PDB file of all heavy atoms in Angstrom:
ATOM      1  N   ASP N  17      10.693 140.857 -36.926  1.00  0.00           N
ATOM      2  CA  ASP N  17      11.388 141.617 -37.974  1.00  0.00           C
ATOM      3  C   ASP N  17      10.865 141.247 -39.370  1.00  0.00           C
ATOM      4  O   ASP N  17      10.994 142.037 -40.302  1.00  0.00           O
ATOM      5  CB  ASP N  17      12.904 141.361 -37.916  1.00  0.00           C
ATOM      6  CG  ASP N  17      13.529 141.997 -36.681  1.00  0.00           C
ATOM      7  OD1 ASP N  17      12.850 142.792 -36.017  1.00  0.00           O
ATOM      8  OD2 ASP N  17      14.696 141.678 -36.370  1.00  0.00           O
ATOM      9  N   GLU N  18      10.290 140.071 -39.500  1.00  0.00           N
ATOM     10  CA  GLU N  18       9.784 139.615 -40.793  1.00  0.00           C
ATOM     11  C   GLU N  18       8.290 139.899 -40.957  1.00  0.00           C
ATOM     12  O   GLU N  18       7.758 139.901 -42.069  1.00  0.00           O
ATOM     13  CB  GLU N  18      10.042 138.110 -40.951  1.00  0.00           C
ATOM     14  CG  GLU N  18       9.831 137.530 -42.322  1.00  0.00           C
ATOM     15  CD  GLU N  18      10.930 137.876 -43.313  1.00  0.00           C
ATOM     16  OE1 GLU N  18      12.000 138.349 -42.883  1.00  0.00           O
ATOM     17  OE2 GLU N  18      10.714 137.691 -44.524  1.00  0.00           O
ATOM     18  N   ALA N  19       7.613 140.125 -39.842  1.00  0.00           N
ATOM     19  CA  ALA N  19       6.144 140.273 -39.852  1.00  0.00           C
ATOM     20  C   ALA N  19       5.706 141.588 -40.483  1.00  0.00           C
ATOM     21  O   ALA N  19       6.464 142.566 -40.561  1.00  0.00           O
ATOM     22  CB  ALA N  19       5.614 140.177 -38.418  1.00  0.00           C
ATOM     23  N   THR N  20       4.470 141.608 -40.919  1.00  0.00           N
ATOM     24  CA  THR N  20       3.849 142.822 -41.465  1.00  0.00           C
ATOM     25  C   THR N  20       2.883 143.381 -40.411  1.00  0.00           C
ATOM     26  O   THR N  20       2.602 142.729 -39.399  1.00  0.00           O
ATOM     27  CB  THR N  20       3.085 142.502 -42.760  1.00  0.00           C
ATOM     28  OG1 THR N  20       2.036 141.579 -42.450  1.00  0.00           O
ATOM     29  CG2 THR N  20       4.007 141.905 -43.806  1.00  0.00           C
ATOM     30  N   ASP N  21       2.337 144.558 -40.669  1.00  0.00           N
ATOM     31  CA  ASP N  21       1.383 145.160 -39.732  1.00  0.00           C
ATOM     32  C   ASP N  21       0.166 144.268 -39.501  1.00  0.00           C
ATOM     33  O   ASP N  21      -0.397 144.237 -38.408  1.00  0.00           O
ATOM     34  CB  ASP N  21       0.931 146.532 -40.240  1.00  0.00           C
ATOM     35  CG  ASP N  21       2.059 147.548 -40.209  1.00  0.00           C
ATOM     36  OD1 ASP N  21       3.019 147.327 -39.414  1.00  0.00           O
ATOM     37  OD2 ASP N  21       1.997 148.545 -40.961  1.00  0.00           O
ATOM     38  N   SER N  22      -0.218 143.537 -40.540  1.00  0.00           N
ATOM     39  CA  SER N  22      -1.441 142.725 -40.457  1.00  0.00           C
ATOM     40  C   SER N  22      -1.246 141.444 -39.640  1.00  0.00           C
ATOM     41  O   SER N  22      -2.207 140.921 -39.068  1.00  0.00           O
ATOM     42  CB  SER N  22      -1.939 142.370 -41.851  1.00  0.00           C
ATOM     43  OG  SER N  22      -0.959 141.620 -42.547  1.00  0.00           O
ATOM     44  N   ASN N  23      -0.015 140.910 -39.600  1.00  0.00           N
ATOM     45  CA  ASN N  23       0.149 139.638 -38.884  1.00  0.00           C
ATOM     46  C   ASN N  23       1.082 139.699 -37.668  1.00  0.00           C
ATOM     47  O   ASN N  23       1.378 138.683 -37.048  1.00  0.00           O
ATOM     48  CB  ASN N  23       0.612 138.511 -39.831  1.00  0.00           C
ATOM     49  CG  ASN N  23       1.915 138.840 -40.543  1.00  0.00           C
ATOM     50  OD1 ASN N  23       2.724 139.624 -40.041  1.00  0.00           O
ATOM     51  ND2 ASN N  23       2.119 138.242 -41.709  1.00  0.00           N
ATOM     52  N   ARG N  24       1.547 140.921 -37.321  1.00  0.00           N
ATOM     53  CA  ARG N  24       2.476 141.054 -36.191  1.00  0.00           C
ATOM     54  C   ARG N  24       1.849 140.569 -34.869  1.00  0.00           C
ATOM     55  O   ARG N  24       2.510 139.959 -34.053  1.00  0.00           O
ATOM     56  CB  ARG N  24       2.952 142.499 -36.076  1.00  0.00           C
ATOM     57  CG  ARG N  24       4.069 142.695 -35.066  1.00  0.00           C
ATOM     58  CD  ARG N  24       4.760 144.035 -35.192  1.00  0.00           C
ATOM     59  NE  ARG N  24       5.768 144.014 -36.250  1.00  0.00           N
ATOM     60  CZ  ARG N  24       5.631 144.635 -37.420  1.00  0.00           C
ATOM     61  NH1 ARG N  24       4.548 145.337 -37.680  1.00  0.00           N
ATOM     62  NH2 ARG N  24       6.578 144.570 -38.326  1.00  0.00           N
ATOM     63  N   VAL N  25       0.555 140.816 -34.705  1.00  0.00           N
ATOM     64  CA  VAL N  25      -0.103 140.419 -33.452  1.00  0.00           C
ATOM     65  C   VAL N  25      -0.256 138.907 -33.324  1.00  0.00           C
ATOM     66  O   VAL N  25      -0.507 138.391 -32.231  1.00  0.00           O
ATOM     67  CB  VAL N  25      -1.507 141.093 -33.323  1.00  0.00           C
ATOM     68  CG1 VAL N  25      -1.361 142.591 -33.168  1.00  0.00           C
ATOM     69  CG2 VAL N  25      -2.391 140.726 -34.513  1.00  0.00           C
ATOM     70  N   LYS N  26      -0.129 138.196 -34.440  1.00  0.00           N
ATOM     71  CA  LYS N  26      -0.283 136.734 -34.426  1.00  0.00           C
ATOM     72  C   LYS N  26       1.020 135.980 -34.190  1.00  0.00           C
ATOM     73  O   LYS N  26       1.024 134.749 -34.082  1.00  0.00           O
ATOM     74  CB  LYS N  26      -0.861 136.258 -35.778  1.00  0.00           C
ATOM     75  CG  LYS N  26      -2.228 136.851 -36.130  1.00  0.00           C
ATOM     76  CD  LYS N  26      -2.640 136.360 -37.505  1.00  0.00           C
ATOM     77  CE  LYS N  26      -3.943 137.012 -37.959  1.00  0.00           C
ATOM     78  NZ  LYS N  26      -4.278 136.608 -39.340  1.00  0.00           N
ATOM     79  N   VAL N  27       2.144 136.707 -34.114  1.00  0.00           N
ATOM     80  CA  VAL N  27       3.462 136.075 -34.071  1.00  0.00           C
ATOM     81  C   VAL N  27       3.605 135.094 -32.908  1.00  0.00           C
ATOM     82  O   VAL N  27       4.057 133.953 -33.087  1.00  0.00           O
ATOM     83  CB  VAL N  27       4.582 137.148 -34.026  1.00  0.00           C
ATOM     84  CG1 VAL N  27       5.891 136.565 -33.541  1.00  0.00           C
ATOM     85  CG2 VAL N  27       4.769 137.738 -35.421  1.00  0.00           C
ATOM     86  N   ARG N  28       3.212 135.497 -31.693  1.00  0.00           N
ATOM     87  CA  ARG N  28       3.368 134.606 -30.537  1.00  0.00           C
ATOM     88  C   ARG N  28       2.511 133.339 -30.672  1.00  0.00           C
ATOM     89  O   ARG N  28       2.958 132.232 -30.300  1.00  0.00           O
ATOM     90  CB  ARG N  28       3.030 135.345 -29.243  1.00  0.00           C
ATOM     91  CG  ARG N  28       4.143 136.263 -28.771  1.00  0.00           C
ATOM     92  CD  ARG N  28       3.844 136.858 -27.411  1.00  0.00           C
ATOM     93  NE  ARG N  28       4.927 137.697 -26.955  1.00  0.00           N
ATOM     94  CZ  ARG N  28       5.973 137.271 -26.254  1.00  0.00           C
ATOM     95  NH1 ARG N  28       6.089 135.993 -25.946  1.00  0.00           N
ATOM     96  NH2 ARG N  28       6.905 138.108 -25.854  1.00  0.00           N
ATOM     97  N   ASP N  29       1.305 133.493 -31.201  1.00  0.00           N
ATOM     98  CA  ASP N  29       0.459 132.318 -31.413  1.00  0.00           C
ATOM     99  C   ASP N  29       1.072 131.375 -32.443  1.00  0.00           C
ATOM    100  O   ASP N  29       1.029 130.148 -32.290  1.00  0.00           O
ATOM    101  CB  ASP N  29      -0.945 132.739 -31.888  1.00  0.00           C
ATOM    102  CG  ASP N  29      -1.751 133.405 -30.775  1.00  0.00           C
ATOM    103  OD1 ASP N  29      -1.410 133.170 -29.596  1.00  0.00           O
ATOM    104  OD2 ASP N  29      -2.682 134.160 -31.076  1.00  0.00           O
ATOM    105  N   MET N  30       1.631 131.966 -33.517  1.00  0.00           N
ATOM    106  CA  MET N  30       2.285 131.149 -34.549  1.00  0.00           C
ATOM    107  C   MET N  30       3.464 130.383 -33.966  1.00  0.00           C
ATOM    108  O   MET N  30       3.638 129.186 -34.222  1.00  0.00           O
ATOM    109  CB  MET N  30       2.747 132.045 -35.711  1.00  0.00           C
ATOM    110  CG  MET N  30       1.604 132.598 -36.548  1.00  0.00           C
ATOM    111  SD  MET N  30       2.183 133.778 -37.792  1.00  0.00           S
ATOM    112  CE  MET N  30       3.031 132.686 -38.935  1.00  0.00           C
ATOM    113  N   LEU N  31       4.287 131.061 -33.173  1.00  0.00           N
ATOM    114  CA  LEU N  31       5.442 130.408 -32.547  1.00  0.00           C
ATOM    115  C   LEU N  31       4.989 129.284 -31.623  1.00  0.00           C
ATOM    116  O   LEU N  31       5.605 128.208 -31.579  1.00  0.00           O
ATOM    117  CB  LEU N  31       6.273 131.431 -31.772  1.00  0.00           C
ATOM    118  CG  LEU N  31       7.149 132.359 -32.632  1.00  0.00           C
ATOM    119  CD1 LEU N  31       7.767 133.462 -31.770  1.00  0.00           C
ATOM    120  CD2 LEU N  31       8.247 131.573 -33.341  1.00  0.00           C
ATOM    121  N   GLY N  32       3.887 129.520 -30.896  1.00  0.00           N
ATOM    122  CA  GLY N  32       3.360 128.498 -30.007  1.00  0.00           C
ATOM    123  C   GLY N  32       2.948 127.245 -30.757  1.00  0.00           C
ATOM    124  O   GLY N  32       3.178 126.116 -30.299  1.00  0.00           O
ATOM    125  N   SER N  33       2.353 127.420 -31.942  1.00  0.00           N
ATOM    126  CA  SER N  33       1.933 126.262 -32.731  1.00  0.00           C
ATOM    127  C   SER N  33       3.136 125.481 -33.283  1.00  0.00           C
ATOM    128  O   SER N  33       3.003 124.315 -33.642  1.00  0.00           O
ATOM    129  CB  SER N  33       1.019 126.703 -33.883  1.00  0.00           C
ATOM    130  OG  SER N  33       1.741 127.425 -34.856  1.00  0.00           O
ATOM    131  N   PHE N  34       4.314 126.126 -33.304  1.00  0.00           N
ATOM    132  CA  PHE N  34       5.542 125.440 -33.715  1.00  0.00           C
ATOM    133  C   PHE N  34       6.396 125.056 -32.507  1.00  0.00           C
ATOM    134  O   PHE N  34       7.602 124.836 -32.604  1.00  0.00           O
ATOM    135  CB  PHE N  34       6.348 126.326 -34.673  1.00  0.00           C
ATOM    136  CG  PHE N  34       5.847 126.283 -36.089  1.00  0.00           C
ATOM    137  CD1 PHE N  34       4.743 127.010 -36.478  1.00  0.00           C
ATOM    138  CD2 PHE N  34       6.470 125.480 -37.036  1.00  0.00           C
ATOM    139  CE1 PHE N  34       4.254 126.964 -37.783  1.00  0.00           C
ATOM    140  CE2 PHE N  34       6.001 125.422 -38.336  1.00  0.00           C
ATOM    141  CZ  PHE N  34       4.893 126.166 -38.711  1.00  0.00           C
ATOM    142  N   LEU N  35       5.754 124.974 -31.336  1.00  0.00           N
ATOM    143  CA  LEU N  35       6.356 124.505 -30.073  1.00  0.00           C
ATOM    144  C   LEU N  35       7.387 125.470 -29.469  1.00  0.00           C
ATOM    145  O   LEU N  35       8.214 125.062 -28.674  1.00  0.00           O
ATOM    146  CB  LEU N  35       6.999 123.111 -30.257  1.00  0.00           C
ATOM    147  CG  LEU N  35       6.084 122.007 -30.777  1.00  0.00           C
ATOM    148  CD1 LEU N  35       6.840 120.676 -30.869  1.00  0.00           C
ATOM    149  CD2 LEU N  35       4.837 121.842 -29.905  1.00  0.00           C
ATOM    150  N   PHE N  36       7.329 126.746 -29.819  1.00  0.00           N
ATOM    151  CA  PHE N  36       8.157 127.767 -29.170  1.00  0.00           C
ATOM    152  C   PHE N  36       7.242 128.553 -28.238  1.00  0.00           C
ATOM    153  O   PHE N  36       6.529 129.446 -28.683  1.00  0.00           O
ATOM    154  CB  PHE N  36       8.818 128.692 -30.203  1.00  0.00           C
ATOM    155  CG  PHE N  36       9.757 127.989 -31.135  1.00  0.00           C
ATOM    156  CD1 PHE N  36       9.442 127.864 -32.499  1.00  0.00           C
ATOM    157  CD2 PHE N  36      10.942 127.447 -30.686  1.00  0.00           C
ATOM    158  CE1 PHE N  36      10.300 127.222 -33.374  1.00  0.00           C
ATOM    159  CE2 PHE N  36      11.816 126.798 -31.559  1.00  0.00           C
ATOM    160  CZ  PHE N  36      11.488 126.682 -32.892  1.00  0.00           C
ATOM    161  N   ARG N  37       7.251 128.178 -26.960  1.00  0.00           N
ATOM    162  CA  ARG N  37       6.272 128.746 -26.024  1.00  0.00           C
ATOM    163  C   ARG N  37       6.951 129.421 -24.846  1.00  0.00           C
ATOM    164  O   ARG N  37       8.087 129.078 -24.487  1.00  0.00           O
ATOM    165  CB  ARG N  37       5.348 127.628 -25.514  1.00  0.00           C
ATOM    166  CG  ARG N  37       4.480 127.064 -26.625  1.00  0.00           C
ATOM    167  CD  ARG N  37       3.843 125.756 -26.259  1.00  0.00           C
ATOM    168  NE  ARG N  37       3.075 125.215 -27.396  1.00  0.00           N
ATOM    169  CZ  ARG N  37       2.782 123.937 -27.542  1.00  0.00           C
ATOM    170  NH1 ARG N  37       3.156 123.067 -26.636  1.00  0.00           N
ATOM    171  NH2 ARG N  37       2.091 123.537 -28.594  1.00  0.00           N
ATOM    172  N   GLY N  38       6.232 130.364 -24.227  1.00  0.00           N
ATOM    173  CA  GLY N  38       6.704 131.013 -23.006  1.00  0.00           C
ATOM    174  C   GLY N  38       8.047 131.684 -23.200  1.00  0.00           C
ATOM    175  O   GLY N  38       8.280 132.392 -24.189  1.00  0.00           O
ATOM    176  N   ASP N  39       8.965 131.449 -22.235  1.00  0.00           N
ATOM    177  CA  ASP N  39      10.286 132.080 -22.260  1.00  0.00           C
ATOM    178  C   ASP N  39      11.166 131.569 -23.399  1.00  0.00           C
ATOM    179  O   ASP N  39      12.205 132.163 -23.687  1.00  0.00           O
ATOM    180  CB  ASP N  39      11.006 131.862 -20.926  1.00  0.00           C
ATOM    181  CG  ASP N  39      10.301 132.571 -19.779  1.00  0.00           C
ATOM    182  OD1 ASP N  39       9.533 133.518 -20.066  1.00  0.00           O
ATOM    183  OD2 ASP N  39      10.507 132.180 -18.623  1.00  0.00           O
ATOM    184  N   GLN N  40      10.765 130.449 -24.030  1.00  0.00           N
ATOM    185  CA  GLN N  40      11.580 129.892 -25.111  1.00  0.00           C
ATOM    186  C   GLN N  40      11.769 130.882 -26.262  1.00  0.00           C
ATOM    187  O   GLN N  40      12.789 130.842 -26.952  1.00  0.00           O
ATOM    188  CB  GLN N  40      10.934 128.620 -25.670  1.00  0.00           C
ATOM    189  CG  GLN N  40      11.077 127.408 -24.761  1.00  0.00           C
ATOM    190  CD  GLN N  40      10.483 126.179 -25.419  1.00  0.00           C
ATOM    191  OE1 GLN N  40       9.399 126.234 -26.024  1.00  0.00           O
ATOM    192  NE2 GLN N  40      11.171 125.065 -25.309  1.00  0.00           N
ATOM    193  N   VAL N  41      10.799 131.762 -26.464  1.00  0.00           N
ATOM    194  CA  VAL N  41      10.872 132.707 -27.589  1.00  0.00           C
ATOM    195  C   VAL N  41      11.997 133.716 -27.410  1.00  0.00           C
ATOM    196  O   VAL N  41      12.366 134.422 -28.360  1.00  0.00           O
ATOM    197  CB  VAL N  41       9.527 133.456 -27.825  1.00  0.00           C
ATOM    198  CG1 VAL N  41       8.424 132.454 -28.129  1.00  0.00           C
ATOM    199  CG2 VAL N  41       9.168 134.329 -26.646  1.00  0.00           C
ATOM    200  N   ASP N  42      12.543 133.806 -26.199  1.00  0.00           N
ATOM    201  CA  ASP N  42      13.652 134.749 -25.941  1.00  0.00           C
ATOM    202  C   ASP N  42      15.020 134.098 -26.139  1.00  0.00           C
ATOM    203  O   ASP N  42      16.063 134.758 -25.944  1.00  0.00           O
ATOM    204  CB  ASP N  42      13.541 135.296 -24.505  1.00  0.00           C
ATOM    205  CG  ASP N  42      12.272 136.116 -24.315  1.00  0.00           C
ATOM    206  OD1 ASP N  42      11.911 136.865 -25.252  1.00  0.00           O
ATOM    207  OD2 ASP N  42      11.649 136.005 -23.250  1.00  0.00           O
ATOM    208  N   LYS N  43      15.044 132.822 -26.520  1.00  0.00           N
ATOM    209  CA  LYS N  43      16.310 132.146 -26.819  1.00  0.00           C
ATOM    210  C   LYS N  43      16.905 132.738 -28.106  1.00  0.00           C
ATOM    211  O   LYS N  43      16.175 133.076 -29.035  1.00  0.00           O
ATOM    212  CB  LYS N  43      16.080 130.659 -27.066  1.00  0.00           C
ATOM    213  CG  LYS N  43      15.936 129.814 -25.830  1.00  0.00           C
ATOM    214  CD  LYS N  43      15.824 128.334 -26.265  1.00  0.00           C
ATOM    215  CE  LYS N  43      15.677 127.400 -25.101  1.00  0.00           C
ATOM    216  NZ  LYS N  43      15.536 126.009 -25.558  1.00  0.00           N
TER     217      LYS N  43
END
């Protein structure tokens, strides 16, 4: 919801680097 068109595709990678991985992102 905060991402822009240019960085939306990077969201999962960014979350992974902050230790939110796999199914955790659905919490």
Side-chain angles (χ1 to χ4, degrees):
D17 290 349
E18 191 75 14
T20 62
D21 292 337
S22 61
N23 58 26
R24 189 166 278 108
V25 293
K26 300 177 185 175
V27 161
R28 282 187 178 271
D29 289 338
M30 289 174 71
L31 285 171
S33 69
F34 279 79
L35 304 182
F36 298 112
R37 294 164 184 157
D39 294 339
Q40 285 183 318
V41 299
D42 296 321
K43 280 184 180 179

